[in-house]
Amino acid sequence: MKPSMLPTTVLIVEDTATTRLILRQGLTQAGYQVIATENGYQAILAFQQHSVDLVLLDVNMPVMDGFECCEALRHSEKGRHIPIIMLTGRDDHESINRAFELGASDFITKPINLRLLLQRVRYGLRDSCREQALLQSQAEQRRLIEQLSEAQAQLLQSEKLASIGLLAAGVAHEINNPLACIKANMQTLKYYIDNLFTLQHSMSELLEQEQLQHQARQLEQTLEWAEIRQDSPELLQDVQEGIDRIQTIISGLINLSDTGNSITKNSTQLEEVIQEVLTPFDDMPLFQGTIQTHLCNPALEVNIDKADLLQILHSLLANAMDAAGPCANLDIITYREGQTGCVEIQDNGPGIPDKHLQRIFDPFFTTKPPGKGTGLGLSLVYQILKRAEGKIEACNRQEGGACFKVKLPLVSLN
């Protein structure tokens, strides 16, 4: 309903001029603002052009009768909850029942008793006010429930990250020390093996000069020297890759456990960082897809360190390419929402299963095969954005594929 200082508007739909005049005068004297029309078609046009609080609707009219008009009004968004009082010369049950079935709020029979009509109008408006208040209350309750649900989800995620962060810090510390020892020993072992191969080669030359080559070949076969020489570089490479992977996980664990430290905030141009992060992808020979950018103009200045933003965007782009494959078609879109700068990364992959949407930012959660992903990329993105007072959301697009939306506070101009 309208604020109380504005007049209440009643729409009269009556084809008889005398009755229309009586209704207009009576309602005007009672303090209502009146719009009068002669048929249902005119009434629908007037209803769309004006703010109407109640409709007085005659049943028998040319062009479009009251039943058709009532049904049309109820099917419109504006007319769904407006009180409609039907005016009819019929008092048969069939017409009354049909009026109510089509959405009429009340009815009154002709000839019109003006005092009774004004009472029905007041009751109709009062009930409408109550219904509108109830609808607003329900909408507010739904909004509060959604806010509470979102806050609860964020709290649970924060508590989960904090708990995992403490565990991760301890695990990273315990693993890091022996890993450093293994890595150092690996370098020494590689150096020794290289020297051993050099020594073997020199010895072979000396033995050949001393005519002892036959005995040397027999010894090499006994010790399986050819297999050692062939397999050692590959074995060392596999071990080194394993060490590098463990080191990557430890680095992720340390970053994940760093929940209490504030992040460095600088003025960073979002579109400039996007262009920079796309440069390495231009030279990827295995990527045969496309990356389209739809950047905001003027450029958005967001409040986050450039290195952190580069890490966020690189992780999301790499994730989108992994999901959509080498022929991925990606879209990067930037825009402004109030005091927030937004960037969306959309792909044409299979999307995210509904059961995974609630866990997509959990540490160690991954849908990749074992050994192909650490499950820390998106959780680190979530953590960086949280410290920067930003947000990230994941959803599936109606046309297919997934969409990740990053929200960052804009730099204040003050």
Side-chain angles (χ1 to χ4, degrees):
M1 290 298 295
K2 296 179 181 178
S4 58
M5 70 285 299
L6 296 178
T8 301
T9 301
V10 177
L11 174 62
I12 298 173
V13 192
E14 169 62 58
D15 64 324
T16 304
T18 304
T19 305
R20 193 166 61 248
L21 178 61
I22 293 172
L23 293 173
R24 177 192 284 274
Q25 290 178 342
L27 289 166
T28 302
Q29 290 174 1
Y32 297 105
Q33 182 173 312
V34 177
I35 302 171
T37 59
E38 299 180 8
N39 57 60
Y41 180 73
Q42 290 181 3
I44 290 175
L45 292 178
F47 188 81
Q48 293 172 344
Q49 295 169 359
H50 301 277
S51 178
V52 176
D53 300 294
L54 182 140
V55 179
L56 291 177
L57 181 59
D58 189 20
V59 171
N60 294 318
M61 294 180 296
V63 183
M64 178 186 288
D65 66 23
F67 294 131
E68 293 174 312
C69 182
C70 179
E71 186 175 17
L73 290 174
R74 284 299 187 226
H75 279 87
S76 68
E77 186 64 31
K78 283 178 60 179
R80 190 169 297 171
H81 303 291
I82 293 292
I84 300 175
I85 300 177
M86 303 290 286
L87 309 176
T88 177
R90 311 172 186 174
D91 57 0
D92 60 286
H93 294 297
E94 184 178 347
S95 296
I96 295 171
N97 286 335
R98 187 182 177 195
F100 284 126
E101 287 173 359
L102 294 174
S105 309
D106 199 357
F107 78 96
I108 188 168
T109 58
K110 297 180 181 179
I112 301 297
N113 182 322
L114 194 57
R115 181 177 297 179
L116 177 60
L117 175 69
L118 292 175
Q119 290 286 4
R120 295 285 181 86
V121 169
R122 278 193 290 270
Y123 290 152
L125 291 170
R126 181 195 62 187
D127 292 343
S128 179
C129 284
R130 291 174 178 173
E131 184 179 6
Q132 291 293 335
L134 178 61
L135 290 172
Q136 290 176 1
S137 176
Q138 290 173 341
E140 180 67 15
Q141 287 177 358
R142 286 193 296 270
R143 187 182 66 83
L144 290 174
I145 290 171
E146 290 174 358
Q147 288 180 344
L148 286 172
S149 298
E150 182 179 352
Q152 184 182 28
Q154 291 179 351
L155 180 61
L156 289 173
Q157 182 74 5
S158 298
E159 290 177 350
K160 186 188 300 182
L161 285 173
S163 300
I164 293 177
L166 292 173
L167 176 63
V171 171
H173 176 73
E174 293 300 324
I175 295 177
N176 208 29
N177 290 336
L179 180 65
C181 180
I182 293 172
K183 188 174 182 181
N185 290 342
M186 267 294 301
Q187 295 297 324
T188 304
L189 180 60
K190 185 177 184 301
Y191 174 76
Y192 286 166
I193 289 177
D194 289 342
N195 286 345
L196 186 60
F197 287 156
T198 302
L199 176 62
Q200 187 270 337
H201 179 71
S202 300
M203 291 293 293
S204 295
E205 291 180 349
L206 290 173
L207 290 171
E208 186 175 352
Q209 295 174 7
E210 297 293 332
Q211 305 300 318
L212 296 174
Q213 189 173 10
H214 178 68
Q215 291 88 337
R217 292 286 180 263
Q218 286 183 332
L219 182 60
E220 287 179 357
Q221 290 177 2
T222 303
L223 298 176
E224 298 181 343
W225 181 253
E227 289 80 0
I228 294 174
R229 188 178 184 89
Q230 179 179 347
D231 295 345
S232 292
E234 186 176 347
L235 291 172
L236 288 173
Q237 179 65 28
D238 289 345
V239 173
Q240 186 62 52
E241 288 177 0
I243 291 173
D244 292 342
R245 178 168 171 76
I246 294 173
Q247 214 164 23
T248 300
I249 294 173
I250 289 175
S251 177
L253 290 172
I254 292 171
N255 290 331
L256 189 66
S257 66
D258 190 21
T259 57
N261 296 335
S262 60
I263 200 167
T264 303
K265 291 184 180 180
N266 296 311
S267 175
T268 302
Q269 191 181 88
L270 181 57
E271 287 74 11
E272 180 182 301
V273 174
I274 289 173
Q275 297 292 354
E276 184 173 338
V277 81
L278 288 177
T279 302
F281 293 101
D282 293 337
D283 300 324
M284 291 178 61
L286 297 180
F287 180 64
Q288 303 298 321
T290 61
I291 302 178
Q292 300 289 333
T293 57
H294 313 272
L295 305 182
C296 182
N297 188 15
L300 300 174
E301 295 281 341
V302 290
N303 205 7
I304 189 173
D305 185 67
K306 180 179 178 179
D308 291 316
L309 184 55
L310 279 169
Q311 182 178 349
I312 290 169
L313 295 176
H314 187 277
S315 294
L316 293 178
L317 279 170
N319 187 73
M321 288 182 180
D322 286 342
C327 295
N329 294 320
L330 309 182
D331 288 285
I332 304 175
I333 307 167
T334 64
Y335 55 93
R336 176 173 182 161
E337 283 185 355
Q339 295 304 310
T340 302
C342 301
V343 54
E344 291 187 10
I345 296 180
Q346 302 175 355
D347 65 60
N348 63 333
I352 307 168
D354 292 340
K355 63 181 180 180
H356 293 161
L357 276 173
Q358 299 302 318
R359 302 184 58 199
I360 198 75
F361 300 111
D362 288 355
F364 305 110
F365 178 78
T366 180
T367 57
K368 296 177 182 177
K372 296 297 183 181
T374 64
L376 292 173
L378 289 179
S379 55
L380 287 176
V381 168
Y382 180 93
Q383 192 77 331
I384 294 171
L385 285 168
K386 180 186 174 185
R387 297 204 303 270
E389 299 178 359
K391 291 183 179 180
I392 183 169
E393 300 169 355
C395 65
N396 287 313
R397 304 163 63 209
Q398 290 184 349
E399 57 269 48
C403 173
F404 284 84
K405 180 178 180 179
V406 173
K407 299 180 179 180
L408 286 164
L410 291 172
V411 175
S412 175
L413 298 178
N414 296 330

